[in-house]
C-alpha cells in the first residue's frame, strides 16, 4: 500500500525528517508515536502533499505510484486521506456541498458514477450516525464554529464518506472525551478491512485500546527508531521515550 | 418628458454640465478615477436603429417579478406585470403625475454632480414607480437596462417613491454588449416607516463604461437595504448617496465588486446622518484579480443634530493577483459627540490552509479557489432575499471565477 524510503523532508529550508523508512501493507493498522516535535505531523503533511513542505531526498510509493509527484487532490483521488491535527474553519463553504464535490471528484477518478444530491444525502446521513454527528452540522460552513471534538468527528465523518484506501489520522484522538474516542475508533474500525489501511498518529495508548494496531513505531528526531507490536505502545505508556532515545544513542 | 418643468430643468442641467465639465482626478472625489477615456469618445444617443437585439432573455426576470420594465439604450421597450398599490410606468409618460414634480430631480443634485447634470440634461427614459401608502408588495419589481452598440450613450433615469408604511423590493439590472456608455441616475424616496429592499446589479459588457448614481432619501423610521453588485464594465463608477433625513431611519448598504482583467470599478458612497437615532450599516466586499483596480471611497457624515447615531462601515478585499490594486478609503466625519461609529478595511489573499484542506479532500485547485472566492462573497449574496437574483449572481460569479475572467460575451449583434 505505502512505501516510504529514506525520506528527507522539511520546511523553510529546515530538515525535519532525516531519512524515514516505513512500510504499510494492505489491510494493516500502524500506529506512530513519538515525542512532541519529532516530525509526526510533518510526515503526515508530506504524505498529503501540503505546499511549503519540501522533500529533499527519498521516495514514497502509494499503490505502486509515485506519490510525491502528485498534486494533493490527486493523492486524495487515489485514495489517501489525512485527518488533520488542526482542521481549518472555512466559513462560507457549505460542509455538505464541499463533501459532495470531494466525493464525486474521487468517484470520477475511480471511474464510478457521480452521486446525485439524494443519493449523497442518504450516504451522508448514514455516516453521520456512525460518528454521532447531528445533521444540523451538514449545513454549516466547513468546521465553522465547531468545537475541538466536533472538528475531529467531522474529520472521521469525511473519512467514512470518502472511503479512502489509506487513512492517516494525525492525533485525531487528542482533545476527545472518552465517548468521542470510542466513536472515532468505531469509525475507523468500520473502515478497517483487508482492503483499507490506517496510519494512526497518537500520543496515547488509550485510543489503541479501541483501535488495536498491528504495528507500533516510534518516531524520534525525524526517523523511525523502533518498531514493534501493540505491546510497544503499552511499554511506551509506562516508560516514556527516554529509554528508546538511550537505546538509539547507544547503538550509534 | 416634455413638460415645461422638464425642459427648463433639462436646459439648466445642460448649462450646469457645461460649467462643471467632466470631472477630473484633481477633484478629491474623483482622485482615483479618470473619465478621460469616456470624454474622448463622440457619443450619440440611440435613434432606434442600434437597439439591443432584444437579448433580454438571459437576464429578464419576467414571470418571477411582479412587474418588469425593459429599456434598451435608455429607451423604453417593454413592460409586463402589475400589482395592487403599485404604479409603474416609463418615466417619459409620468410628467403629469402629481408625484412627479414633487420629487423629480429633488434629490440627485445636478448642481454639484456633473454626471447627474449630464443625465438630467439628456435622460430619455427610465422607470417611474409609486408605491401607495400602506401597500405591501409581495414580490419584486425588475428594471432591466440593456446597452448595445458602439459609441452609444444612454442616461436612464428612475424615480421610485415609496409611500408611508409601504413595502417594496426593486431590482435594477444593467447588462449589455458593446462599447457603449450608461450614465444612470436613480432617486429613491423612502416614506415614513416604509421598508425598501433595493438591488442594483451591474453586469455591463466588459467594453462598456458605466456611471451610476443612486440617491436615497429616507424619511422617519424608514428601513432601506440597498445592495450594489458590480461585476461588469471596463470603467465603472458607482455612487450611492443616502440622506437619513428622518428620525429613527435605518440603512443597510451592501456592496460586492468582482474585477478581473484591467477592469476599473470605483465605489463612492456617502451616508449622511442628518437626524438623530438613525442606524447605518455598510459592508462592501471586493474581489480583484489580474491587473484590475478597485476603489472603495466611503464617507459617513454625522451632522450636529444627529445624536444617538449608530454607524458601522467596513470594506473587505480579497486580492487574487499581485498586480491587482485596491484603494480603500473609509472616512468618518463626525460633528457631534453622542454617537457610536466605527469603520475599517482589510485586504487579504486566499487562505492557504483552507486551499490545502479542500484539495486534500480531492477538490481541484481551480475549484477550491472558486469555492473560497465564492465563500468570501457569500456574506453579501446569502443575505439577499430574492432567490432569483441570488441565483443569477451566483451563476454569473461562478461562470467567471474558475478562469478568473470577467463575463465576456461574443460581439454578435
Ligand atoms: N512552518 C514551520 N516552520 C518551522 N519549523 C516548523 C514548521 N512546522 C513545523 N516545524 C518544526 O518541525 C518540527 C516537527 O514538527 P511536527 O509538527 O512534525 O511535530 P509532531 O511530531 O507532529 O509534534 P506534536 O506531537 O507536537 O504534534 C518541530 O520542531 C516544529 O517546530
Ligand atoms: Mg503533530
Amino acid at each position: 500500500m505505502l512505501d516510504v524510503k529514506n525520506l528527507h523532508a522539511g520546511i523553510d529550508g529546515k530538515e525535519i525528517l532525516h531519512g524515514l523508512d516505513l512500510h504499510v501493507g494492505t489491510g494493516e493498522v500502524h500506529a506512530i508515536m513519538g515525542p512532541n516535535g519529532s516530525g509526526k505531523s510533518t510526515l503526515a503533511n508530506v504524505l498529503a502533499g501540503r505546499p511549503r513542505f519540501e522533500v529533499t531526498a527519498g521516495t514514497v510509493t502509494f499503490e505502486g505510484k509515485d506519490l510525491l509527484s502528485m498534486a494533493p487532490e490527486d493523492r486524495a483521488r487515489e485514495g489517501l486521506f489525512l485527518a488533520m491535527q488542526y482542521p481549518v474553519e472555512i466559513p462560507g463553504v457549505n460542509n455538505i456541498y464541499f463533501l459532495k464535490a470531494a466525493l464525486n471528484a474521487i468517484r470520477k477518478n475511480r471511474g464510478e458514477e457521480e452521486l446525485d444530491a439524494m443519493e449523497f444525502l442518504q450516504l451522508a446521513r448514514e455516516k453521520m450516525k456512525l460518528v454521532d454527528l447531528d445533521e444540523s452540522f451538514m449545513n454549516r460552513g466547513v468546521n465553522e464554529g465547531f468545537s475541538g471534538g466536533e472538528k475531529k468527528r467531522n474529520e472521521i465523518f469525511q473519512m467514512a464518506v470518502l472511503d479512502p484506501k489509506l487513512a492517516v489520522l494525525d492525533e485525531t484522538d487528542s482533545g476527545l472525551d472518552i465517548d468521542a474516542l470510542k466513536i472515532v475508533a468505531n469509525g475507523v474500525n468500520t473502515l478497517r478491512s483487508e482492503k483499507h489501511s490506517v496510519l494512526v498518529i497518537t500520543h496515547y495508548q488509550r485510543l489503541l485500546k479501541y483501535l488495536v494496531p498491528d504495528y507500533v513505531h516510534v518516531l524520534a528526531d525525524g526517523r523511525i527508531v523502533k518498531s514493534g507490536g501493540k505491546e510497544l505502545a503499552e511499554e511506551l505508556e509506562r516508560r516514556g521515550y527516554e529509554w528508546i532515545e538511550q537505546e538509539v544513542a547507544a547503538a550509534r | 418628458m416634455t413638460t415645461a418643468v422638464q425642459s427648463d430643468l433639462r436646459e439648466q442641467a445642460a448649462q450646469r454640465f457645461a460649467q462643471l465639465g467632466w470631472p477630473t482626478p484633481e477633484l478629491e472625489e474623483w482622485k482615483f478615477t479618470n473619465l478621460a477615456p469616456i470624454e474622448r469618445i463622440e457619443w450619440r444617443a440611440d435613434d432606434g436603429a442600434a437597439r439591443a437585439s432584444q437579448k433580454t432573455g438571459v437576464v429578464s426576470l419576467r414571470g418571477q417579478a411582479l412587474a418588469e420594465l425593459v429599456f434598451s439604450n435608455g429607451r423604453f421597450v417593454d413592460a409586463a406585470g402589475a400589482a395592487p398599490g403599485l404604479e409603474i410606468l416609463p418615466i417619459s409618460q409620468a410628467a403629469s403625475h402629481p408625484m412627479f414634480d414633487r420629487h423629480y430631480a429633488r434629490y440627485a443634485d445636478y448642481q454639484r454632480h456633473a454626471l447627474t447634470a449630464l443625465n438630467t440634461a439628456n435622460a430619455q427614459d427610465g422607470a417611474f414607480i409609486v408605491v401607495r401608502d400602506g401597500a405591501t408588495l409581495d414580490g419584486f419589481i425588475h428594471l432591466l437596462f440593456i446597452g448595445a452598440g458602439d459609441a452609444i450613450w444612454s442616461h436612464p433615469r428612475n424615480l421610485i417613491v415609496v409611500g408611508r408604511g409601504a413595502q417594496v423590493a426593486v431590482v435594477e439590472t444593467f447588462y449589455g454588449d458593446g462599447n457603449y456608455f450608461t450614465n444612470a441616475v436613480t432617486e429613491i424616496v423612502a416614506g415614513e416607516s416604509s421598508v425598501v429592499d433595493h438591488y442594483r446589479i451591474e453586469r455591463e459588457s466588459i467594453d462598456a463604461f458605466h456611471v451610476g448614481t443612486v440617491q436615497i432619501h429616507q424619511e422617519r423610521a424608514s428601513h432601506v437595504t440597498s445592495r450594489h453588485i458590480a461585476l461588469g464594465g471596463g470603467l465603472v463608477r458607482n455612487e450611492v448617496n443616502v440622506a437619513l433625513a428622518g428620525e429613527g431611519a435605518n440603512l443597510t448598504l451592501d456592496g460586492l465588486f468582482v474585477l478581473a482583467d484591467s477592469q476599473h470599478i470605483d465605489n463612492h458612497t456617502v451616508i449622511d446622518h442628518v437626524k438623530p437615532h438613525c442606524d447605518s450599516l455598510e459592508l462592501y466586499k471586493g474581489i480583484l484579480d489580474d491587473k484590475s483596480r478597485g476603489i472603495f471611497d466611503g464617507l459617513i457624515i454625522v451632522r450636529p443634530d444627529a445624536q444617538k447615531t449608530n454607524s458601522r462601515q467596513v470594506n473587505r478585499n480579497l486580492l487574487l493577483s499581485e498586480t491587482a490594486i485596491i484603494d480603500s478609503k473609509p472616512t468618518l466625519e463626525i460633528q457631534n459627540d453622542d454617537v457610536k461609529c466605527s469603520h475599517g478595511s482589510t485586504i487579504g489573499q486566499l487562505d492557504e490552509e483552507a486551499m490545502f484542506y479542500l484539495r486534500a479532500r480531492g477538490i481541484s485547485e481551480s475549484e477550491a479557489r472558486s469555492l473560497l472566492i465564492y465563500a468570501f462573497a457569500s456574506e453579501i449574496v446569502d443575505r439577499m432575499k430574492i432567490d432569483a437574483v441570488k441565483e443569477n449572481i451566483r451563476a454569473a460569479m461562478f461562470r467567471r471565477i474558475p478562469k478568473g475572467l470577467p463575463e465576456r460575451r461574443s460581439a454578435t449583434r
Side-chain angles (χ1 to χ4, degrees):
Chain A
M1 173 82 54
L2 180 76
D3 236 319
V4 182
K5 289 210 175 95
N6 187 35
L7 183 63
H8 289 256
I11 189 161
D12 297 339
K14 176 185 162 197
E15 187 172 287
I16 297 164
L17 300 180
H18 310 290
L20 184 140
D21 294 285
L22 179 68
H23 176 83
V24 178
T26 304
E28 295 172 355
V29 174
H30 289 238
I32 293 189
M33 305 182 80
N36 292 129
S38 56
K40 303 181 297 298
S41 294
T42 301
L43 172 63
N45 283 317
V46 167
L47 292 179
R50 185 189 284 270
R52 289 187 57 211
F53 283 85
E54 306 126 32
V55 173
T56 45
T59 57
V60 179
T61 45
F62 178 58
E63 294 276 82
K65 291 183 183 156
D66 174 14
L67 190 72
L68 298 178
S69 67
M70 292 184 214
E73 56 269 37
D74 293 326
R75 300 179 194 205
R77 291 171 189 182
E78 290 295 327
L80 180 78
F81 180 90
L82 169 61
M84 313 221 183
Q85 185 170 4
Y86 304 108
V88 57
E89 297 197 19
I90 317 180
V93 175
N94 178 277
N95 213 15
I96 212 71
Y97 176 88
F98 143 73
L99 193 54
K100 178 166 166 277
L103 177 62
N104 279 334
I106 291 169
R107 289 180 67 95
K108 211 167 144 195
N109 189 62
R110 289 187 204 144
E112 295 169 4
E113 291 265 314
E114 296 190 12
L115 294 188
D116 64 27
M118 286 309 291
E119 294 166 324
F120 178 76
L121 266 182
Q122 205 177 345
L123 174 73
R125 287 217 173 92
E126 187 188 309
K127 302 299 184 189
M128 289 195 106
K129 268 197 213 112
L130 184 71
V131 295
D132 198 24
L133 206 54
D134 192 85
E135 277 190 29
S136 63
F137 285 92
M138 286 206 232
N139 291 314
R140 286 167 61 177
V142 174
N143 293 319
E144 187 180 2
F146 287 26
S147 77
E150 286 162 355
K151 281 181 189 161
K152 297 299 176 82
R153 271 188 280 167
N154 194 29
E155 295 290 288
I156 298 302
F157 163 60
Q158 291 175 20
M159 181 195 77
V161 169
L162 300 180
D163 192 31
K165 291 181 189 149
L166 173 65
V168 179
L169 312 182
D170 190 0
E171 295 199 27
T172 305
D173 54 335
S174 298
L176 291 184
D177 61 41
I178 198 77
D179 290 339
L181 196 68
K182 284 184 199 162
I183 288 165
V184 164
N186 184 33
V188 179
N189 282 326
T190 310
L191 180 81
R192 190 173 189 177
S193 73
E194 62 276 19
K195 285 204 215 82
H196 295 85
S197 309
V198 183
L199 186 61
V200 207
I201 295 171
T202 181
H203 285 292
Y204 306 104
Q205 210 263 329
R206 57 175 201 163
L207 174 68
L208 304 178
K209 264 193 239 155
Y210 304 104
L211 179 63
V212 183
D214 300 304
Y215 299 93
V216 175
H217 310 275
V218 178
L219 177 57
D221 194 21
R223 287 184 198 88
I224 302 285
V225 294
K226 195 170 181 70
S227 299
K230 62 176 193 294
E231 35 340 299
L232 178 57
E234 288 156 19
E235 194 169 0
L236 290 170
E237 182 98 337
R238 264 187 291 119
R239 299 176 59 189
Y241 293 111
E242 212 177 319
W243 62 281
I244 294 181
E245 278 158 15
Q246 282 162 5
E247 252 183 44
V248 172
R252 276 211 188 125
Chain B
M1 302 218 297
T2 44
T3 64
V5 181
Q6 261 291 283
S7 43
D8 279 0
L9 204 57
R10 271 174 192 279
E11 207 150 299
Q12 285 165 23
Q15 280 172 15
R16 189 60 188 147
F17 181 74
Q19 289 164 355
L20 290 169
W22 290 87
T24 63
E26 275 89 75
L27 297 168
E28 179 63 22
E29 297 194 325
W30 285 89
K31 73 174 183 187
F32 299 109
T33 297
N34 190 345
L35 295 184
I38 303 183
E39 191 182 346
R40 266 201 293 277
I41 295 172
E42 190 84 15
W43 298 101
R44 62 198 161 80
D46 184 359
D47 53 10
R51 183 163 296 186
S53 58
Q54 312 299 318
K55 286 208 301 182
T56 56
V58 237
V59 271
S60 170
L61 293 170
R62 186 181 284 208
Q64 295 163 84
L66 271 179
E68 181 174 83
L69 291 190
V70 181
F71 301 87
S72 166
N73 287 339
R75 297 162 68 105
F76 171 68
V77 289
D78 202 10
L86 170 69
E87 291 178 77
I88 177 167
L89 58 154
I91 205 165
S92 57
Q93 299 164 24
S96 61
H97 195 287
M99 290 291 188
F100 183 85
D101 275 354
R102 211 158 109 197
H103 294 291
Y104 186 81
R106 307 270 169 183
Y107 309 98
D109 187 356
Y110 67 83
Q111 293 293 345
R112 276 193 50 210
H113 298 283
L115 274 292
T116 299
L118 188 65
N119 173 287
T120 309
N122 293 285
Q124 281 184 297
D125 219 328
F128 177 71
I129 298 172
V130 176
V131 185
R132 288 203 203 111
D133 288 355
T136 300
L137 300 188
D138 197 12
F140 67 97
I141 295 161
H142 190 217
L143 309 177
L144 177 52
F145 301 89
I146 305 280
D150 293 333
I152 298 226
W153 72 4
S154 70
H155 305 270
R157 180 68 180 233
N158 306 304
L159 174 60
I160 301 167
V161 182
V162 185
R164 177 191 289 231
Q167 196 168 334
V168 69
V170 180
V171 181
E172 301 180 61
T173 302
F174 296 85
Y175 190 83
D177 203 346
N179 178 21
Y180 57 90
F181 169 35
T182 309
N183 175 36
V185 173
T186 298
E187 291 173 292
I188 300 175
V189 186
E192 185 176 329
S193 302
S194 62
V195 178
V196 179
D197 194 12
H198 171 239
Y199 300 70
R200 195 174 190 284
I201 318 248
E202 184 270 299
R203 291 174 61 190
E204 301 279 29
S205 145
I206 195 66
D207 303 316
F209 302 99
H210 181 98
V211 177
T213 304
V214 172
Q215 189 80 37
I216 303 176
H217 179 84
Q218 288 193 240
E219 288 171 6
R220 173 189 282 268
S222 59
H223 271 68
V224 173
T225 303
S226 189
R227 313 168 202 258
H228 298 259
I229 312 301
L231 302 175
L235 174 55
V236 175
R237 159 86 164 197
N238 280 320
E239 281 193 30
V240 187
N241 305 310
V242 185
L244 293 157
E247 236 175 274
N250 183 302
L251 167 73
T252 301
L253 186 55
D254 276 357
L256 174 65
F257 48 109
V258 185
L259 290 73
D261 275 1
S262 50
Q263 276 182 289
H264 177 114
I265 298 187
D266 180 348
N267 301 282
H268 191 92
T269 69
V270 179
I271 299 174
D272 193 353
H273 281 261
V274 181
K275 288 282 156 95
H277 294 283
C278 293
D279 293 348
S280 66
L281 187 62
E282 178 175 23
L283 174 62
Y284 266 66
K285 296 189 100 169
I287 299 171
L288 299 95
D289 202 355
D290 302 330
K291 303 188 302 302
S292 63
R293 178 157 189 210
I295 293 115
F296 173 77
D297 188 355
L299 172 64
I300 291 179
I301 306 169
V302 183
R303 303 279 171 190
D305 285 346
Q307 300 93 358
K308 306 283 180 204
T309 288
N310 217 323
S311 174
R312 207 163 97 90
Q313 180 187 49
V314 180
N315 169 227
R316 296 196 193 291
N317 302 290
L318 179 60
L319 286 189
L320 301 174
S321 83
E322 282 171 10
T323 43
I325 299 174
I326 177 79
D327 291 290
S328 182
K329 197 175 147 233
T331 313
L332 287 173
E333 191 184 305
I334 302 178
Q335 304 164 3
N336 123 33
D337 292 339
D338 192 11
V339 300
K340 242 200 251 162
C341 294
S342 70
H343 68 159
S345 75
T346 60
I347 299 171
Q349 277 97 34
L350 281 182
D351 180 357
E352 270 181 50
E353 294 289 308
M355 272 299 283
F356 174 64
Y357 191 89
L358 297 174
R359 293 178 71 191
R361 296 296 178 253
I363 291 174
S364 71
E365 186 174 8
S366 67
E367 198 182 348
R369 213 172 116 93
S370 348
L371 277 174
L372 293 180
I373 295 168
Y374 190 74
F376 179 82
S378 67
E379 190 178 358
I380 299 289
V381 180
D382 286 355
R383 60 188 186 206
M384 294 183 169
K385 296 212 179 91
I386 303 172
D387 286 339
V389 173
K390 256 193 216 181
E391 280 319 309
N392 275 3
I393 291 170
R394 253 186 212 136
M397 277 192 61
F398 266 124
R399 204 174 313 128
R400 44 183 289 168
I401 285 171
K403 284 179 239 92
L405 285 173
E407 292 184 277
R408 254 191 203 291
R409 286 177 288 274
S410 64
T412 46
R413 281 189 289 277

